[in-house]
């Protein structure tokens, strides 16, 4: 019998109102059932929102440093359970164990960071225009936060959203991705162990249409934070607009590594392999384009192709595996679709290009690390997000052309330049219209204490992580205290 997990509502684990469940299988071996989860609907969302609403006044009233103490305990417990949490995550999502350890570590880092915000949440004090008057600004929570989280960072991204929401005094309803509910169940269990009061965090599992949509449409939800595709992000934005809900969106990317002719090519190749094929290319920050100066193009491509062909693809739990499967059949089929498109539009297939089905890979969603060379920037493989192990290499003649090509996509999450010339590095840094920029490092690997997010179709102006994460989950209140004992009329007396 598979383990069956319910929703977590008002501090209790309960089945969906309909009694329905859905199964979650290991993408490296679909014969392995991870567990079954509540296949919830609007009724379950309504219950969860009601629980979050009832818990809000008490949680808001708890002093922020006390909320921080609970988060601190959460971080300690996550650290203790890191290995098991990582193994569970590899089984349900597929990425290799080193990377799932990194994912859990990001959750730990974010939780410690936001626990610290329990003693900061700095506002401002400013001088008044008038005598005997004091003024300051403070943050206040919005109310109920609806969080809709993706499968590629199954614990990190839920924590990026949940921890800032909680430390500010909001209560939460979270809908995990249907491919990775176990990692959110595990996170919620840790919250429970840490003594989080009931109703403060509620989790409802199920589909986007039956859980995500009613959650973002609920009149009681004051802020929605979503990570996923640009297409769905636009719908979230539209759902939030009529009621002026706060809305944070973190969406697609088509990130670029730019390799200049003075670059250390060995380092750039390592960076492109990690940036392009880490997490099987399924990161918003993945380096799915590499723009290479023509003087080092041949050398770079030769080494990059050799590196990609040498990557060991397999079950992420095996220590020798370097790249796991795609998360589900849909993603694998998208990868196959783009391989076909690339071939048709004349990109040169230099490595990979096929599904992997031999031996132990037969029951998983595996695909070869794939490289297209001699791409022009307008080819679909070179400017649409694929979210899989496919990298397009584009030759250029100068830094200026690299920047132009780099900026020519609809997304703006992350970019990087490999060069030994500090002037070129700073020029590229200034000119790339992205939220994240790297010098002599790949496009992935952001840390939790700098803002995370992007421009154009990647985001809607908000950032996660760092203190910027507090913005969407709070409202500022400006406070004026007049202790003059008389009426002072601003801008008039
Ligand atoms: C994502 O893919 O949505 O910077 C997040 C990185 C990771 C987070 C990626 N720390 O690659």
């Amino acid at each position: 019998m598979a383990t069956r997990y319910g929703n977590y509502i008002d501090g209790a684990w309960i089945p969906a109102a309909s009694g329905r469940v859905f199964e979650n299988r290991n993408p490296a071996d679909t014969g392995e059932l991870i567990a079954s989860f509540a296949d919830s609907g609007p009724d379950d969302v309504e219950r969860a929102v009601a629980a979050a609403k009832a818990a809000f006044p008490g949680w808001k009233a708890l002093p922020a440093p006390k909320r921080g103490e609970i988060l601190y305990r959460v971080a300690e417990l996550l650290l203790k359970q890191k290995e098991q949490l990582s193994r569970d995550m590899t089984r349900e999502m597929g990425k290799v164990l080193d990377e799932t350890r990194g994912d859990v570590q990001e959750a730990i880092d974010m939780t410690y960071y936001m626990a610290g915000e329990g003693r900061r949440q700095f506002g401002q004090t400013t001088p008044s225009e008038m005598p005997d008057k004091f003024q300051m600004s403070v943050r206040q929570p919005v109310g109920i936060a609806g969080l809709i989280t993706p499968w590629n960072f199954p614990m990190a991204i839920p924590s990026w959203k949940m921890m800032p929401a909680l430390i500010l005094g909001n209560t939460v309803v979270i809908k995990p991705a249907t491919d990775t509910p176990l990692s959110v169940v595990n996170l919620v269990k840790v919250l429970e162990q840490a003594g989080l009061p009931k109703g403060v965090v509620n989790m409802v599992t199920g589909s986007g249409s039956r859980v995500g949509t009613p959650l973002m449409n609920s009149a009681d939800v004051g802020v929605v934070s979503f990570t996923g595709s640009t297409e769905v992000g636009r719908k979230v934005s539209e759902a939030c607009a009529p009621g002026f809900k706060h809305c944070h969106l973190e969406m697609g990317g088509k990130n670029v590594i730019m390799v200049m002719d003075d670059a250390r090519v060995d380092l750039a190749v390592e960076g492109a392999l990690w940036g392009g094929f880490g997490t099987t290319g399924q990161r918003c920050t993945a380096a799915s384009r590499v723009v290479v100066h023509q003087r080092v193009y041949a050398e770079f491509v030769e080494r990059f192709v050799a590196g990609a062909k040498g990557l060991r693809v397999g079950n992420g739990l095996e220590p020798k595996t370097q790249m796991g499967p795609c998360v589900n059949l849909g993603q694998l089929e998208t990868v196959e679709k783009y391989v076909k498109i690339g071939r048709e539009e004349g990109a040169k297939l230099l490595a990979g290009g096929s599904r992997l089905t031999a031996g132990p890979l037969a029951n998983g969603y595996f695909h070869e690390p794939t490289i297209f060379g001699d791409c022009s920037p307008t080819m679909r493989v070179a400017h649409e997000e694929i979210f899989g192990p496919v990298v397009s290499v584009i030759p250029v003649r100068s830094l200026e052309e690299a920047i132009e090509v780099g900026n020519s996509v609809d997304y703006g999450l992350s970019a990087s330049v490999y060069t030994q010339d500090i002037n070129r590095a700073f020029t590229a840094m200034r000119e790339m219209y992205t939220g994240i920029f790297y010098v002599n490092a790949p496009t992935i690997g952001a840390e939790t204490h700098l803002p995370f997010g992007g421009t154009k179709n990647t985001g809607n102006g908000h950032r996660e992580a760092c203190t910027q994460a507090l913005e969407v989950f709070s409202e500022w209140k400006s406070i004026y205290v007049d202790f003059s004992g008389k009426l002072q009329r601003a801008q008039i007396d």
Side-chain angles (χ1 to χ4, degrees), residues 297-477:
Y297 186 80
E299 182 192 354
F300 175 87
V301 164
E302 191 191 325
R303 292 207 208 175
F304 186 37
V305 167
K309 287 185 172 161
L311 288 175
R312 290 184 299 271
V313 181
N315 188 319
L317 285 180
E318 283 158 24
K320 62 175 192 342
T321 300
Q322 291 170 300
M323 194 181 99
C326 298
V327 75
N328 58 34
L329 185 60
Q331 286 301 129
L332 176 60
E333 286 173 351
T334 300
V335 170
E336 291 183 308
K337 181 185 92 182
Y338 273 100
V339 168
K340 192 161 166 270
I341 291 170
R343 284 183 143 140
E344 283 165 7
E345 59 192 352
K348 202 157 143 197
L349 185 64
L350 300 175
S354 302
R355 221 185 249 223
L356 288 165
T357 52
L361 307 187
N363 293 324
Y365 304 125
F366 294 97
H367 195 279
E368 289 178 302
T370 297
I371 299 174
F372 279 113
D374 295 349
C375 295
S376 77
T378 52
M379 287 177 176
R380 289 185 64 193
V381 279
H383 80 256
E384 292 179 13
E385 184 176 52
I386 302 173
F387 226 62
V390 183
V391 178
S392 301
V393 190
I394 307 166
V396 290
R397 287 175 302 268
S398 63
L399 176 66
E400 290 65 35
E401 192 185 346
I403 291 168
E404 196 186 317
V405 170
N407 276 329
S408 69
V409 291
D410 294 333
Y411 303 106
L413 183 54
S414 182
S416 101
V417 68
Y418 281 80
T419 180
Q420 300 295 313
D421 178 343
I422 192 162
N423 299 329
R424 284 173 150 184
F426 270 80
T427 302
M429 182 273 289
R430 187 188 59 203
E431 297 304 327
M432 286 306 299
Y433 188 50
T434 57
I436 304 172
F437 189 79
Y438 292 88
V439 178
N440 292 329
T443 53
I444 68 175
E447 302 180 27
T448 50
H449 43 279
L450 278 183
F452 182 93
T455 63
K456 300 192 273 186
N457 285 1
T458 295
N460 65 339
H462 286 289
R463 292 291 185 267
E464 297 190 278
C466 193
T467 50
Q468 275 82 351
L470 302 174
E471 295 302 332
V472 81
F473 294 110
S474 56
E475 286 281 6
W476 284 105
K477 184 181 280 172

Side-chain angles (χ1 to χ4, degrees), residues 37-323:
F37 297 85
D39 186 6
S40 314
D43 292 353
D44 303 292
V45 173
E46 208 174 294
R47 268 206 223 174
V49 170
K53 196 174 178 180
F56 177 56
W59 183 242
K60 178 187 166 190
L62 193 67
K66 295 280 171 213
R67 295 196 293 262
E69 282 169 24
I70 298 177
L71 294 202
Y72 189 86
R73 285 204 293 278
V74 171
E76 297 281 278
L77 287 164
L78 289 173
L79 195 55
K80 245 188 229 150
Q81 299 172 27
K82 183 172 168 183
E83 193 57 22
Q84 190 52 45
L85 299 172
S86 309
R87 288 185 167 271
D88 278 357
M89 194 189 293
T90 292
R91 282 173 57 236
E92 75 168 347
M93 189 271 171
K95 62 185 174 182
V96 301
L97 201 46
D98 266 354
E99 292 189 32
T100 52
R101 288 186 186 120
D103 191 307
V104 177
Q105 187 58 46
E106 280 195 38
I108 294 166
D109 296 341
M110 186 60 80
T111 309
Y112 276 130
Y113 186 94
M114 289 300 162
E117 281 307 305
R119 290 190 183 271
R120 287 189 292 264
Q121 287 180 43
F122 297 135
Q124 298 141 302
T125 60
T126 63
S128 169
E129 293 168 3
M130 278 164 276
D132 298 330
K133 200 174 168 198
F134 183 87
Q135 51 200 41
M136 62 191 163
S137 64
V138 296
R139 289 183 188 276
Q140 53 185 3
V142 175
I144 301 170
L147 312 180
I148 303 173
T149 57
W151 46 260
N152 68 334
F153 277 78
M155 190 173 283
I157 293 180
S159 79
W160 292 6
K161 300 184 189 308
M162 196 185 277
M163 302 311 164
L166 291 177
I167 200 63
L168 288 157
N170 300 282
T171 54
V172 165
V173 177
I174 182 168
K175 182 208 112 51
T178 43
D179 283 309
T180 56
L182 181 59
S183 292
V184 177
V185 164
N186 285 341
L187 179 60
V188 167
K189 281 190 192 161
V190 167
L191 297 171
E192 207 178 16
Q193 288 162 20
L196 190 77
K198 70 186 175 84
V200 172
V201 168
N202 306 275
M203 180 202 69
V204 183
T205 56
S207 69
S209 58
R210 290 177 44 78
V211 178
T213 301
L215 180 59
M216 69 199 190
N217 284 327
S218 166
D220 287 324
V221 169
V223 44
V224 176
S225 180
F226 165 83
T227 298
S229 70
T230 299
E231 191 194 340
V232 177
R234 188 167 286 118
K235 290 192 183 131
V236 177
S237 180
E238 283 164 6
C240 290
F244 309 108
K245 272 181 199 155
H246 288 205
C247 173
H248 160 259
L249 305 171
E250 170 56 38
M251 304 170 286
K254 190 73 182 176
N255 313 290
V256 66
I257 290 180
M258 302 181 284
V259 184
M260 291 301 98
D261 53 349
D262 63 348
R264 266 190 50 199
V265 174
D266 58 335
L267 197 64
V269 167
E270 271 186 84
L273 288 168
W274 174 228
F277 301 119
T279 325
T280 319
Q282 300 172 124
R283 288 196 194 209
C284 306
T285 51
S288 51
R289 295 183 294 156
V290 186
V291 167
V292 187
H293 196 288
Q294 61 181 9
R295 280 198 209 105
V296 289
Y297 186 80
E299 182 192 354
F300 175 87
V301 164
E302 191 191 325
R303 292 207 208 175
F304 186 37
V305 167
K309 287 185 172 161
L311 288 175
R312 290 184 299 271
V313 181
N315 188 319
L317 285 180
E318 283 158 24
K320 62 175 192 342
T321 300
Q322 291 170 300
M323 194 181 99

